[in-house]
Amino acid sequence: MATISLTAPLEGWVSPLDEVVDAVFAERMLGDGLAIDPTGDVLVAPCDARVLVVQPSGHAITLETPEGAQLLIHLGIDTVALDGRGFEPLVAAGATVTRGQPLIRFNLDLIVREAQAAITPVIVTNGERFVIAERADAGAVASGAPLLTLVAREAAAVGDASDGPTARRVVTVALSHGIHARPAAKIAAAAKTFTADVTLTKGERSASARSPVGLLSLIAAHRDELTIEARGVDAEAAVAAIAELLATDLDAGAPPAASSTPAAPRVVPEGAIAGVTASPGLAIGAVARWQVRDLDVPATGAGIAAEEACFESARAALVDDLAARSAGATGPARAIVQAHADMLADPALIDAAHRAIAGGVSAAQAWRDAIRPQAEALRAGGDPRLAERADDMRDLERQLIARLMGVEQEVAALPDGAILLADDLLPSQLMALDLDRVAGLAIERGGPTSHVAILAASRGLPALVALGAAVRELAEGARVVLDASEGLLHVTPSPELVTDAEARLAAVAERRAAARARAAEECRTADGTRIEVVANCGSAEDARVAAANGAEGCGLLRTELLFLDRATAPDVAEQTAAYQSVADALPGKPVIVRLLDIGGDKPAPYLPIGPEENPALGLRGIRVGLAHPDILDDQLRAILAVRPAGQCRIMVPMVVGLDELRQVRAALDRVGGGDGVALGIMVETPAAAVTAAQLAREADFLSIGTNDLSQYALAMDRGNAAVAGALDGLHPAVLRLIEQTVAGGARHARWTGVCGGLASDPLAVPILVGLGVTELSVAPAAVADIKALVRDLDMIRARDHARAALECAGAAEVRQLAREFAR
């Protein structure tokens, strides 16, 4: 397996691509890598290489290593607009260069003064062939210091479009600065959405439209003439799409950073660190730090036969261990352990390890070499949620290597009531902890949809993620206040803040005891208005917890866990058994089953959904079911088989129009269950909210998914930690969409519920009830508390409160209003 070591081509400060101000780089449209904010004035070669392209303006260079890895180094952001001022190329295309050889001399002062930014991305543009296995940590770096290590991927089979129809068009480039990095990325991304092979030609030079490097090599300037040719079933559409991009001045629509409008900065109290809420709650405790590093493994083995035997023995032992843990686990923990077991049985990983052992490396090194590039590939995809799935692969890497090395799983020794600090945390590490000793989690990295976040939420454990490097400064044993509901870790809490937090915890405990005592009672407001409080469930265990807390049914049964992290779709019998177990745990109560909600951020390996530039706006929700009617029909058959008949209701995710609802009704008729089955929709898009009256004519009920509705209404990706802290469903814009939904449903006597995160938020519940929501589907453990809160509400005051919230200027103002109302 080819390994390529790249050294820093500049002296300066290393940072992840996420911190680059241009979305083309930050979103990895050109590929993965790192960025360096330079402090010097010479760019040198990061390895031995051949120069493919030097941009005419001198601001960027593309190199190819002897192994075939292609590297783009882009000096500064929007520096193409300098038209060559400040750049002195020292080499030309076609030259062979050696590591450390000067490539471009540049005027750093000029770039800082006149360009958008001086930060310089170093990108691997052919990530389909090479993956980043190691990368330098953020911080100061010297020119020539280690920066990136690349590993070659296995060659993937590609389709052959050579026999398809052809299309051809000649266009004039309208791009102000020709084809530079940003247009190349956008053209390549567009080309990859078609099956046809698309080629661009300028004079005697040709390049695949899917290759950003090839496009840069054309040196296509403003008003140059290009020929677009395509071959394949969708050749005409592909040519039209690329021609439209070339005929549009993409640079004209790219505002400089200074004129962009970022999200309003969050005000963080003095002595606090802001993070992203993974699991809400409040905790006070002493800092307990836990840092687990990679296990050292021998590079070479003791012989192929011995290492093969060692590998298979350790793998078999881990298979048995995972099976035992899965049998004893419930809820999300069981699904996560099963996902690890499925990955451990992946023939591609096993074969890769065996090949490495046959090459002479140790079994432990072979497993690391097999699985780590796959994890890095997920991280390199640019999707934060897929990156979080890479944690599961890292976890599995560590578990098997520990077996091979004879090392016991390291478990932190924790004091009672600890606030556990970690740079990162793997699912198996969390599950191995004595969680009765843990008051809360504070994670430097991580994401809000990771398996660790799911596990923390299932245990009701307050958890913050993405806190950043500032938590490294905290002393072991320091007393802190973790307010995960507010996204804050108070690292130097005043005596008054601690006293207030203690009083809040005591009040919560008292209220919880009172709520538990009345959990089984029907839920009504203080003046008698009926509000159903049901639970969001993902398993029979969730349903049992919900029932014990007084849930009046299941308002959202997430079915996607049955479909993810496996090689084939579950059959009808398997699905029926899963749904029946939830129904049995809630006898006599309604169970609303959400149809399969995957795609985009939740891919299933066996469904052919290609990479998407913006997965949140792509093939997901009911769009997947309608694109794969066999999957949809099997799920409908499984739901209809649950007994007693009629206990299960069906809910359609990500609806935007009546046509989708009608297609699902047609599918119900197709499988013989069109009569007598309640069929409702999830309102997760602004389109569904503003046309709720039209949808309610044919939907039996409406349930609002506030998580997705908020991200689409506010244009903030809820899986992106950079903006997740500013994403709040209590924004007046979201509340007005909820108001419209309720009004639209009422016109046709349809009830409206909320099954998103706002339903479990005590500050949001009075507003939702005041807006006319009559069903709240909440976390199973929160049912009794939300019931107690609703019982204290007066509808007249709640309606007045909701109207006041609609007039607020933003989510922060709504939350302040809600706190005052709660007091």
Side-chain angles (χ1 to χ4, degrees):
M1 182 178 292
T3 299
I4 306 165
S5 297
L6 305 180
T7 51
L10 297 160
E11 61 182 54
W13 293 87
V14 173
S15 64
L17 289 180
D18 309 75
E19 297 182 12
V20 178
V21 294
D22 190 321
V24 165
F25 297 108
E27 296 176 9
R28 294 166 175 78
M29 293 171 64
L30 283 165
D32 195 14
L34 286 172
I36 301 175
D37 209 347
T39 55
D41 61 359
V42 177
L43 176 75
V44 303
C47 60
D48 296 348
R50 182 170 64 91
V51 179
L52 295 181
V53 183
V54 179
Q55 288 297 308
S57 56
H59 73 287
I61 189 168
T62 307
L63 307 173
E64 184 175 61
T65 73
E67 299 84 358
Q70 294 178 345
L71 314 172
L72 170 65
I73 307 174
H74 195 284
L75 284 161
I77 302 302
D78 271 354
T79 41
V80 64
L82 296 177
D83 291 327
R85 289 185 300 117
F87 298 100
E88 181 189 354
L90 306 175
V91 294
T96 300
V97 297
T98 57
R99 188 188 304 272
Q101 179 178 336
L103 303 177
I104 300 173
R105 195 177 302 280
F106 55 93
N107 185 329
L108 182 58
D109 289 339
L110 176 68
I111 294 172
V112 170
R113 285 196 315 271
E114 299 191 25
Q116 186 177 357
I119 195 166
T120 296
V122 181
I123 303 293
V124 182
T125 60
N126 56 342
E128 74 281 358
R129 291 188 55 198
F130 295 88
V131 67
I132 299 174
E134 296 178 14
R135 61 186 78 209
D137 293 332
V141 67
S143 179
L147 185 71
L148 297 168
T149 300
L150 312 184
V151 176
R153 297 180 191 268
E154 290 187 45
V158 295
D160 183 6
S162 59
D163 294 331
T166 61
R168 184 176 184 275
R169 189 180 300 188
V170 177
V171 298
T172 299
V173 177
L175 303 161
S176 302
H177 304 292
I179 298 181
H180 57 96
R182 183 184 295 110
K186 293 185 176 181
I187 292 167
K192 290 173 184 176
T193 64
F194 297 95
T195 59
D197 290 333
V198 186
T199 302
L200 271 65
T201 302
K202 176 192 169 185
E204 296 181 357
R205 293 184 178 178
S206 294
S208 166
R210 300 186 184 195
S211 168
V213 169
L215 294 171
L216 292 173
S217 71
L218 293 176
I219 314 294
H222 180 58
R223 295 185 179 175
D224 277 354
E225 193 173 85
L226 294 180
T227 300
I228 311 169
E229 295 180 284
R231 182 183 292 274
V233 292
D234 51 4
E236 285 286 355
V239 167
I242 304 304
E244 183 177 354
L245 286 173
L246 289 168
T248 304
D249 190 357
L250 300 176
D251 293 316
S259 64
S260 63
T261 307
R266 182 178 183 186
V267 178
V268 179
E270 186 176 353
I273 302 171
V276 175
T277 300
S279 175
L282 178 68
I284 306 171
V287 168
R289 190 178 300 280
W290 191 25
Q291 188 167 17
V292 180
R293 301 189 181 279
D294 280 346
L295 296 171
D296 291 329
V297 300
T300 56
I304 294 175
E307 296 297 326
E308 289 274 12
C310 185
F311 177 75
E312 285 304 327
S313 175
R315 195 173 71 84
L318 183 54
V319 167
D320 292 342
D321 180 48
L322 290 173
R325 279 192 270 156
S326 177
T330 58
R334 183 169 189 171
I336 292 166
V337 173
Q338 185 58 49
H340 290 183
D342 291 342
M343 283 190 284
L344 188 59
D346 188 327
L349 290 177
I350 297 170
D351 290 347
H354 282 307
R355 285 196 299 273
I357 291 172
V361 304
S362 70
Q365 185 63 53
W367 180 241
R368 178 167 287 169
D369 290 345
I371 198 168
R372 186 164 290 190
Q374 303 301 319
E376 289 295 339
L378 287 181
R379 288 196 182 281
D383 187 316
R385 299 181 196 177
L386 286 182
E388 288 164 358
R389 299 291 82 82
D391 288 345
D392 292 307
M393 304 195 82
R394 289 176 50 232
D395 198 345
L396 192 60
E397 173 194 322
R398 183 176 184 81
Q399 291 182 64
L400 186 53
I401 287 177
R403 294 257 173 191
L404 289 164
M405 303 299 295
V407 177
E408 292 292 328
Q409 167 90 317
E410 186 177 349
V411 178
L414 301 173
D416 285 335
I419 303 295
L420 182 65
L421 261 64
D423 62 339
D424 210 348
L425 200 60
L426 300 177
S428 68
Q429 294 168 344
L430 178 60
M431 287 187 278
L433 291 173
D434 181 358
L435 292 181
D436 290 335
R437 291 179 173 271
V438 180
L441 300 176
I443 311 297
E444 179 181 334
R445 294 184 284 170
T449 60
S450 67
H451 277 162
V452 166
I454 293 169
L455 287 168
S458 72
R459 285 293 300 259
L461 191 64
L464 285 179
V465 296
L467 282 159
V471 295
R472 298 176 192 172
E473 306 300 321
L474 296 184
E476 188 85 16
R479 189 169 170 80
V480 298
V481 174
L482 177 71
D483 193 344
S485 298
E486 293 296 325
L488 295 172
L489 177 65
H490 297 276
V491 297
T492 55
S494 66
E496 294 78 15
L497 192 149
V498 172
T499 299
D500 177 67
E502 289 173 339
R504 288 165 59 194
L505 286 171
V508 167
E510 184 178 344
R511 286 197 304 271
R512 188 158 292 160
R516 295 292 182 275
R518 299 186 59 189
E521 297 178 16
E522 186 178 78
C523 185
R524 293 182 180 273
T525 63
D527 49 0
T529 302
R530 181 75 169 98
I531 304 293
E532 287 186 287
V533 180
V534 293
N536 296 334
C537 300
S539 66
E541 176 61 22
D542 285 347
R544 286 188 283 271
V545 173
N549 280 279
E552 300 175 82
C554 171
L556 167 62
L557 177 57
R558 300 182 179 97
T559 62
E560 55 268 17
L561 283 179
L562 274 175
F563 291 80
L564 300 177
D565 295 319
R566 54 188 295 160
T568 58
D571 59 23
V572 173
E574 184 180 355
Q575 291 186 62
T576 300
Y579 309 150
Q580 186 70 59
S581 67
V582 173
D584 291 344
L586 292 162
K589 295 181 171 66
V591 174
I592 297 178
V593 184
R594 178 173 69 187
L595 294 177
L596 180 60
D597 185 17
I598 62 171
D601 60 319
K602 294 175 287 190
Y606 49 85
L607 287 179
I609 301 175
E612 298 175 302
E613 184 175 348
N614 192 334
L617 303 181
L619 195 62
R620 58 168 301 192
I622 192 55
R623 299 168 189 170
V624 176
L626 296 177
H628 299 276
D630 53 332
I631 298 283
L632 175 61
D633 288 359
D634 279 355
Q635 186 169 31
L636 293 174
R637 291 187 183 97
I639 297 169
L640 294 171
V642 174
R643 293 293 176 266
Q647 182 179 2
C648 285
R649 303 169 184 177
I650 298 172
M651 184 158 65
V652 186
M654 289 297 295
V655 169
V656 296
L658 269 177
D659 180 60
E660 293 160 329
L661 181 61
R662 289 169 176 168
Q663 288 183 70
V664 175
R665 282 207 185 275
L668 271 171
D669 291 337
R670 188 165 63 236
V671 300
D675 297 327
V677 179
L679 180 63
I681 64 166
M682 283 194 77
V683 176
E684 301 169 273
T685 66
V690 299
T691 60
Q694 183 185 45
L695 291 164
R697 285 203 302 265
E698 300 186 28
D700 295 315
F701 60 88
L702 312 174
S703 186
I704 302 170
T706 53
N707 300 348
D708 272 322
L709 182 61
S710 299
Q711 78 163 345
Y712 292 132
L714 302 178
M716 293 181 183
D717 182 356
R718 63 190 177 101
N720 184 340
V723 295
L727 179 61
D728 193 333
L730 281 182
H731 192 288
V734 181
L735 296 180
R736 288 185 180 276
L737 291 172
I738 295 172
E739 180 190 37
Q740 281 186 274
T741 302
V742 171
R747 284 177 57 182
H748 300 281
R750 304 295 193 239
W751 61 263
T752 298
V754 171
C755 59
L758 282 189
S760 300
D761 186 340
L763 292 179
V765 167
I767 298 173
L768 297 176
V769 172
L771 289 173
V773 169
T774 58
E775 186 231 46
L776 300 168
S777 192
V778 306
V783 171
D785 295 333
I786 297 299
K787 274 188 162 185
L789 190 160
V790 171
R791 290 190 185 105
D792 288 338
L793 291 178
D794 173 88
M795 283 302 298
I796 293 176
R797 290 190 65 236
R799 290 188 187 108
D800 290 344
H801 178 46
R803 280 194 291 270
L806 293 174
E807 298 304 321
C808 287
E813 190 174 323
V814 174
R815 287 203 173 271
Q816 182 57 39
L817 179 74
R819 291 187 189 97
E820 293 170 2
F821 182 86
R823 283 196 291 270

